[in-house]
Amino acid sequence: MSITADRKYPAIGSPHPKNNPQRKQCRGECGQLGHGVWDASIDEDRILEMHALSRNPNGYAVACGRDPHRVLGLDLDRKNGLDGCARITEIAETIGFELPETIRVKTPSGWHIWLSLPPGVHVSNSVGKVGTISAPGVDVRSLGGGLVGPGSRGPKGTYLLDCAPDTPLAPIPSKLLDLLAVRDKPRTDSFVRGTAISSKRITGLVATVLDAKPGSRNAVLFWSACRMAEAVAEGGLSDNEARELLLTAAERIGLDHSEASVSIDSAFRTSHGRA
């Protein structure tokens, strides 16, 4: 991988002519080098061959989502007013998972967090979101994507290993995987699994938010939050549990995290005032 001030591109040029359809379609089936992350290998001779042909021997990439390691990368940026580190921490606290000790790389603008996907499981690459949750400054790298490898040097700085050299690659937390492997229509029980919540009323309110149509989503969220606050007052669940369920459902349907939080807070205040 070559690194310029503005972009990253394959360090080995494509073996296919510009007007040849294979230029975009071939993923290394031709046996030649020049297909970006699809050339990735763990064979030492093949790696040395790529290094010899590279236009930039100071940089290389690690392919994500492929056997044997099935790396899932979280690219966390702190630049241009964004803070991906703070956002992923906020999401983790809201959903209820912790990022494990794993391979970390300090980048010129933030960090790369390496995790391992289960066999046979793939998630989509994304920019600025985790599943359907808005996450400015957080990019997800999986099959077809790559991470700049530690030791690479670019015009903005060096990518440095930020953990012990023998740190193992940790498996992705199950709740984070649930977010990334979003179904077309999320199942309500995925939000209450692992908790003590069993009320049909509560799961019904979550389902109402998930089924909200564009143009009415904020109003539906506010109404559902008012009813959820009543369930909290009656002892059906804790205040934090209620807010987490509502916020997660709201973000799954595309509502902005901050705006959804404000709407939920307003609904809880309104409900408490009536009480």
Side-chain angles (χ1 to χ4, degrees):
M1 173 177 287
S2 293
I3 308 170
T4 67
D6 299 314
R7 63 190 291 265
K8 306 176 182 71
Y9 57 91
I12 301 175
S14 173
H16 308 294
K18 288 186 177 181
N19 296 326
N20 190 323
Q22 276 193 297
R23 190 177 180 92
K24 291 185 177 181
Q25 298 172 2
C26 184
R27 294 183 173 181
E29 296 88 350
C30 66
Q32 302 179 78
L33 292 172
H35 304 88
V37 295
W38 302 108
D39 289 338
S41 175
I42 58 173
D43 180 82
E44 184 176 348
D45 291 337
R46 186 69 163 173
I47 293 172
L48 290 174
E49 181 185 359
M50 287 189 281
H51 182 76
L53 293 174
S54 175
R55 294 176 294 193
N56 178 16
N58 295 321
Y60 69 99
V62 176
C64 295
R66 298 181 61 182
D67 291 333
H69 304 297
R70 301 178 300 280
V71 174
L72 183 286
L74 296 178
D75 184 355
L76 311 177
D77 280 333
R78 279 178 170 169
K79 63 181 181 180
N80 303 325
L82 303 179
D83 191 338
C85 298
R87 184 65 182 120
I88 196 66
T89 298
E90 185 178 35
I91 292 172
E93 291 175 349
T94 300
I95 304 303
F97 67 84
E98 293 183 3
L99 290 177
E101 288 297 320
T102 189
I103 298 172
R104 299 187 311 276
V105 176
K106 181 69 179 71
T107 75
S109 61
W111 280 267
H112 288 167
I113 308 298
W114 296 23
L115 300 165
S116 178
L117 289 168
V121 175
H122 299 292
V123 301
S124 298
N125 292 281
S126 63
V127 176
K129 61 181 182 178
V130 177
T132 58
I133 297 177
S134 175
V138 180
D139 298 342
V140 177
R141 302 293 185 226
S142 186
L143 187 65
L147 297 170
V148 178
S152 296
R153 298 194 302 273
K156 293 186 178 180
T158 303
Y159 292 72
L160 299 171
L161 194 64
D162 192 35
C163 59
D166 58 351
T167 300
L169 180 64
I172 184 172
S174 60
K175 289 188 177 181
L176 175 56
L177 182 59
D178 284 345
L179 289 180
L180 297 175
V182 173
R183 302 175 180 83
D184 290 338
K185 186 174 182 179
R187 289 172 51 188
T188 305
D189 60 5
S190 67
F191 293 96
V192 299
R193 185 174 60 231
T195 73
I197 302 169
S198 60
S199 168
K200 290 184 178 180
R201 175 187 180 188
I202 293 167
T203 55
L205 289 171
V206 173
T208 298
V209 176
L210 292 174
D211 289 338
K213 301 295 186 292
S216 65
R217 292 178 299 186
N218 282 299
V220 170
L221 175 63
F222 183 83
W223 180 89
S224 298
C226 287
R227 306 290 80 76
M228 193 75 84
E230 294 169 0
V232 170
E234 295 168 6
L237 73 169
S238 72
D239 187 281
N240 286 339
E241 286 175 326
R243 291 173 185 270
E244 289 176 3
L245 288 171
L246 289 166
L247 186 57
T248 304
E251 292 185 320
R252 281 287 183 90
I253 60 173
L255 291 178
D256 177 75
H257 174 86
S258 298
E259 291 182 1
S261 295
V262 169
S263 183
I264 293 169
D265 288 343
S266 177
F268 272 57
R269 286 195 301 270
T270 299
S271 183
H272 293 331
R274 289 171 181 166

